[in-house]
Amino acid sequence: MLKELELPIVDLPKETESLREDVRSFLSAELQNGSFETRCDSWLSGFSADFSRKLGERGWLGMTWPKKYGGHERTAFERFVVTEELLAAGAPVAAHWFADRQTGPLLLNYGTAYQRQTFLPKITRGELFFAIGLSEPNSGSDLASISTRAKKSGGQWVINGSKIWSSGAHHAHYIVVLLRTSSQGEKKHEGLSQMIVDLSASGVTVRPIYLMTGEHHFNEVIFEDVEISEDMIVGEVGNGWKQSMAELAYERSGPERFLSTYPLLSELINLLSETSSSDHAKNKIGKLASRLWTLRCMSLGVAGMLDKGESPDIAASLVKDLGTQFEKDVIDVARELIPSRPSMHAETKYETLLAEAILHAPGFTLRGGTTEILRSIITKGVGYNE
Amino acid sequence: MSDIQPMLIDTATKIMKDICTKDLISNAEEGEFPQELWEALKETGMTSIGVSEESGGVGGDIKDAMSLLKVAGKFTAPIPLAETLLANWILGVARLPLKNSPLTLIPALKKDRITFKKVEDGWVVSGKAQYIPWARDVQDMVVFGKTSDGQQVVTTLSTTDCQINRGQNLAGEPRDEVHVPENLIENDRVAIVQNLTYEDICNRGALTRIALMAGALENALELTLTYANERTQFGRPIGKFQAVKQQLAVLTGEVMASGIAADSAVAAYENSGQNEEIAMAKIQVGEATKAVTNIAHQVHGAMGFTDEHPLHYSTRRLWSWQDEYGTDSEWADLLGDKILEEKSDVWSMFTESPRQLT
């Protein structure tokens, strides 16, 4: 096999079993007391500051981070187990999602001691939320073309420009912004840096962008002469591209890339189990299960490589590409097997989940890199000469 | 991974690369058994990998056996290696003497009518079985069957005692019909086995096809990437076209997914002995076969569709093996039925089987 395509088999260590049981009993208690309702795509749409705080209390945020920053020094696999259980249950994890998945690891890799001490403990307690500022209105997948810039003025940096698709920026406290700190050199990737911006700072405007469901998760964040102190620069000035790309490997291969519609699949199986199902239904469910299992093996394999400090860009891109296709396949099979009238305000759980899944699905293959961009990365990576 | 696995893969790769040429595969399809290839594998002990030393094998585990089959699948080795490994494993379990020559297996599917009758001085075996791999090329066949009172029995039959009607699969591999006339077999050549079921054999058989297919899928990927880099149209390599690139990425994804599904199924089977993972991996390689063979042939254009180009040695095998030891649909029905009947949340099925850290 081509070396780039070899993934290790990861069998989860024994100690994750009791952790999984803990998460399951927590979730079933929370469901019972009505603290949340199962939703599709809950990592985008399930915002609950309370729920995130409860996860923080249990030590399920910043799980792998050092204890001195409020982390719990647990393994990547323990984090994987908690994450997949939360997503499979459709739990509201959007509040802490980006801080836990991206900002924390970013600061641990590149942040200053001051930044780590200031932000990480609060993130692990579920008290501090971050948004991500990568895309711009005129730069979708072509991130190297971004034009938001920061200019040095005295001891400060002054930011002007705007970011788009920043999920949860209307709830979050801070945003990590990729911006230009010097003019574009020969290479488009040069001259980029990352900075942490307080979303309540003067000159920052968060403008809602509503989804076709009417829900508000996305935002445009506009910066007008926003002043940033030197200590809010993440990593090296000029190293922003490399730092952001490392972030994306974490972003592309996690269980959120194939579990967005799992709550729908689970409810579909519940309903089919109640009646005697056709062979056709069994066949479709068997095939979906096979795909989901394969994706989980792949995602675990990538987690294993990340844990060892390897950077499996191609494998991560493949997990996302296949995973997001699967998330959509679940919808097609559901619609095929059970005739229904999906609506965001339906009376049955199944119809509501189906509506959420259908209306959120167009985003699955866009966020975190479009299918087309991912496929370019894949062919380049397996030795197709450009 | 066992200690011997990297060395095993290396050695097998070297042997196959040297001997398993296009001519050899093509001649095998014309009926010439590749004795030299077989001897080379036999000398290195590869024909009884996965059978413990106390049972007469060379040791190694099922992972080793499957990694060897992956290499065989990749090089489209036209020999009954999967059948011999399966048959020797069964002989080992039944504590019957192993064979050092090519073997095949009559698993006594429901539609096969091989009956075993106990008589005073031995057993009478008779009946008919279809689609038996390489029956014409082997001296001995291992037969697994049941007696009328439900006991499971294993024996070996000599092909000289049987009538063989030739048949073949899409890849030109022998899949023969075997008529067993009433044969008296001495007691010491028949074993009653408690700890081996028809399902066990199907599971192992499916694993061999999963491994072979994972190897063949890798080969289809490598051939296609090479071709896309070399073949020029409209002044540039065809792989430079966006539309082709998108297809290559899909093919790559399916091949990678199949590789890890195959490895994971073997590991899970070894740990738990259950067959859900085998079902899932067999479905995965089957689904991958559809996508990969489509794309590989499309990218190769008319050239890949000719006898001259080696692509078809892999794709025709994939189409054949896809339906052996359970079609995608049969496995999907079985798995879907289990999920729906047991009202099992798929998630629990994935996460609650006992697993160990490797």
Side-chain angles (χ1 to χ4, degrees):
Chain A
M1 175 90 83
L2 297 171
K3 218 172 160 29
E4 298 81 2
L5 300 183
E6 268 176 37
L7 279 177
I9 305 177
V10 171
D11 276 339
L12 287 168
K14 209 97 196 109
E15 58 269 26
T16 60
E17 283 172 26
S18 61
L19 175 62
R20 188 185 299 283
E21 288 316 309
D22 288 349
V23 179
R24 283 187 185 170
S25 23
F26 165 76
L27 285 170
S28 79
E30 289 295 307
L31 271 171
Q32 247 164 27
N33 73 26
S35 97
F36 78 92
E37 273 178 30
T38 296
R39 310 190 58 154
C40 282
D41 208 15
S42 67
W43 61 278
L44 177 72
S45 62
F47 184 95
S48 164
D50 267 357
F51 191 83
S52 292
R53 197 179 30 75
K54 284 184 200 167
L55 294 179
E57 280 165 15
R58 279 165 196 267
W60 294 338
L61 301 183
M63 287 180 73
T64 59
W65 308 350
K67 285 193 171 145
K68 65 174 169 178
Y69 301 125
H72 305 279
E73 299 184 3
R74 303 188 80 155
T75 64
F77 303 119
E78 289 173 300
R79 179 176 184 275
F80 192 98
V81 164
V82 172
T83 308
E84 68 176 4
E85 287 298 325
L86 291 170
L87 293 172
V93 293
H96 66 266
W97 191 260
F98 303 100
D100 184 74
R101 180 180 74 181
Q102 276 164 266
T103 314
L106 175 73
L107 295 183
L108 285 169
N109 280 333
Y110 298 104
T112 61
Y114 167 73
Q115 289 165 352
R116 293 175 186 174
Q117 277 152 9
T118 309
F119 299 115
L120 298 182
K122 286 185 187 158
I123 293 176
T124 63
R125 292 200 297 270
E127 294 168 3
L128 190 68
F129 308 136
F130 273 77
I132 302 295
L134 285 174
S135 292
E136 291 188 2
N138 293 315
S139 320
S141 293
D142 184 13
L143 273 184
S145 73
I146 61 165
S147 63
T148 294
R149 65 176 54 241
K151 271 193 183 149
K152 201 153 191 187
S153 157
Q156 309 266 71
W157 290 85
V158 180
I159 303 182
N160 278 288
S162 64
K163 290 289 168 183
I164 201 166
W165 316 130
S166 298
S167 308
H170 54 308
H171 294 299
H173 305 95
Y174 290 89
I175 183 168
V176 178
V177 183
L178 178 69
L179 39 67
R180 209 160 268 299
T181 37
S182 59
S183 54
Q184 202 170 306
E186 291 259 306
K187 289 181 185 161
K188 284 170 85 182
H189 304 156
E190 283 171 0
L192 296 171
S193 306
Q194 281 182 299
M195 291 184 190
I196 299 170
V197 181
D198 185 338
L199 282 161
S200 65
S202 136
V204 178
T205 311
V206 178
R207 194 177 70 78
I209 300 171
Y210 296 98
L211 296 186
M212 59 181 161
T213 55
E215 295 167 281
H216 173 198
H217 307 300
F218 284 151
N219 300 281
E220 182 175 2
V221 183
I222 300 151
F223 308 94
E224 290 166 301
D225 291 328
V226 179
E227 292 180 357
I228 298 295
S229 58
E230 192 79 30
D231 55 11
M232 287 296 114
I233 297 170
V234 181
E236 277 173 54
V237 171
N239 195 36
W241 178 258
K242 201 181 145 216
Q243 294 171 195
S244 304
M245 291 305 107
E247 234 182 291
L248 283 173
Y250 285 94
E251 200 198 324
R252 283 182 177 152
S253 58
E256 69 270 29
R257 296 305 180 183
F258 51 87
L259 288 177
S260 301
T261 53
Y262 181 77
L264 171 64
L265 176 59
S266 176
E267 187 62 10
L268 173 67
I269 290 171
N270 280 342
L271 295 183
L272 291 172
S273 305
E274 284 165 11
T275 53
S276 60
S277 302
S278 64
D279 285 347
H280 177 67
K282 289 172 186 169
N283 188 285
K284 290 283 182 183
I285 295 298
K287 286 192 173 167
L288 286 179
S290 153
R291 193 57 150 193
L292 180 55
W293 171 76
T294 304
L295 284 162
R296 182 169 179 263
C297 293
M298 294 173 81
S299 178
L300 274 167
V302 176
M305 291 175 79
L306 287 171
D307 197 42
K308 281 190 198 151
E310 296 166 41
S311 50
D313 301 345
I314 299 156
S317 300
L318 278 168
V319 171
K320 184 183 178 293
D321 184 20
L322 293 175
T324 54
Q325 308 296 332
F326 167 80
E327 290 179 331
K328 291 185 176 184
D329 289 345
V330 170
I331 299 170
D332 293 338
V333 171
R335 298 180 91 168
E336 187 185 328
L337 294 182
I338 299 184
S340 67
R341 302 285 169 105
S343 153
M344 294 295 280
H345 308 286
E347 281 178 16
T348 69
K349 185 177 170 190
Y350 175 75
E351 286 171 321
T352 315
L353 288 169
L354 182 54
E356 282 167 3
I358 293 169
L359 296 174
H360 276 242
F364 300 165
T365 45
L366 303 175
R367 56 194 181 193
T370 63
T371 301
E372 290 70 21
I373 291 292
L374 293 170
R375 290 181 179 173
S376 270
I377 295 171
I378 295 160
T379 42
K380 201 170 172 179
V382 294
Y384 178 70
N385 64 28
E386 283 295 293
Chain B
M1 190 183 280
S2 76
D3 303 341
I4 62 165
Q5 202 169 312
M7 193 191 73
L8 178 77
I9 294 173
D10 255 21
T11 314
T13 304
K14 255 183 218 133
I15 294 174
M16 303 263 183
K17 212 177 218 163
D18 285 351
I19 309 181
C20 207
T21 60
K22 184 172 179 293
D23 280 348
L24 177 135
I25 303 168
S26 165
N27 291 340
E29 287 190 24
E30 299 298 316
E32 189 182 311
F33 187 80
Q35 199 62 38
E36 188 196 352
L37 176 61
W38 184 266
E39 294 300 326
L41 293 172
K42 193 176 86 179
E43 272 166 32
T44 48
M46 291 194 193
T47 50
S48 62
I49 288 266
V51 184
S52 67
E53 287 171 53
E54 64 262 31
S55 304
V58 295
D61 54 24
I62 184 165
K63 280 185 195 160
D64 298 321
M66 295 306 142
S67 64
L68 172 62
L69 287 178
K70 226 185 207 181
V71 179
K74 185 166 179 178
F75 288 92
T76 52
I79 41 169
L81 186 58
E83 285 67 30
T84 303
L85 291 174
L86 271 173
N88 267 330
W89 166 71
I90 293 170
L91 291 176
V93 175
R95 307 210 160 272
L96 290 170
L98 266 50
K99 303 276 178 181
N100 213 355
S101 52
L103 288 173
T104 193
L105 168 71
I106 298 182
L109 299 158
K110 281 189 192 115
K111 62 178 193 270
D112 298 328
R113 293 183 303 275
I114 305 278
T115 56
F116 282 76
K117 246 187 300 178
K118 183 79 189 86
V119 292
E120 207 172 306
D121 44 354
W123 292 78
V124 174
V125 183
S126 66
K128 186 178 94 172
Q130 286 173 318
Y131 206 74
I132 303 304
W134 273 278
R136 72 187 75 158
D137 291 314
V138 302
Q139 288 162 20
D140 298 288
M141 298 179 287
V142 169
V143 186
F144 175 85
K146 273 186 179 171
T147 61
S148 53
D149 56 354
Q151 282 183 307
Q152 292 152 173
V153 259
V154 173
T155 191
T156 48
L157 278 180
S158 167
T159 42
T160 49
D161 296 335
C162 305
Q163 186 200 329
I164 290 167
N165 297 333
R166 292 179 171 225
Q168 61 182 27
N169 65 14
L170 292 171
E173 295 179 311
R175 295 292 186 266
D176 302 330
E177 187 180 76
V178 177
H179 287 266
V180 186
E182 292 215 339
N183 252 303
L184 181 70
I185 298 181
E186 311 90 71
N187 278 320
D188 60 356
R189 279 177 52 208
V190 179
I192 295 174
V193 287
Q194 312 288 349
N195 53 347
L196 186 69
T197 62
Y198 172 65
E199 204 186 18
D200 292 334
I201 295 174
C202 281
N203 285 340
R204 282 240 177 182
L207 274 179
T208 65
R209 293 311 186 259
I210 291 166
L212 289 168
M213 289 172 80
L217 286 164
E218 269 181 50
N219 195 43
L221 167 70
E222 288 178 17
L223 287 173
T224 308
L225 285 176
T226 306
Y227 191 80
N229 275 335
E230 288 171 0
R231 172 69 171 168
T232 307
Q233 290 276 270
F234 308 105
R236 52 184 181 152
I238 54 169
K240 271 207 188 295
F241 293 90
Q242 279 299 336
V244 177
K245 271 198 215 176
Q246 296 283 317
Q247 294 297 302
L248 289 176
V250 174
L251 180 152
T252 306
E254 292 296 340
V255 175
M256 183 191 218
S258 299
I260 188 148
D263 293 345
S264 302
V266 177
Y269 176 74
E270 203 180 32
N271 287 344
S272 71
Q274 291 175 339
N275 70 353
E276 286 92 353
E277 282 87 357
I278 295 176
M280 294 189 281
K282 187 73 167 58
I283 297 165
Q284 166 59 38
V285 294
E287 294 281 307
T289 291
K290 284 188 235 167
V292 169
T293 55
N294 264 337
I295 296 171
H297 276 290
Q298 184 68 23
V299 171
H300 276 84
M303 183 51 77
F305 180 56
T306 63
D307 181 51
E308 191 184 324
H309 194 279
L311 177 65
H312 66 86
Y313 292 121
S314 296
T315 56
R316 284 187 296 128
R317 276 170 179 74
L318 284 166
W319 290 319
S320 300
W321 296 336
Q322 186 179 9
D323 295 339
E324 294 181 353
Y325 285 105
T327 64
D328 303 1
S329 276
E330 286 169 318
W331 280 110
D333 289 353
L334 198 78
L335 184 66
D337 188 56
K338 193 177 163 71
I339 292 167
L340 295 180
E341 282 305 306
E342 291 177 8
K343 300 192 182 225
S344 132
D345 148 27
V346 174
W347 204 243
S348 306
M349 191 176 83
F350 294 168
T351 52
E352 278 170 10
S353 57
R355 284 159 199 280
Q356 295 159 7
L357 185 65
T358 46

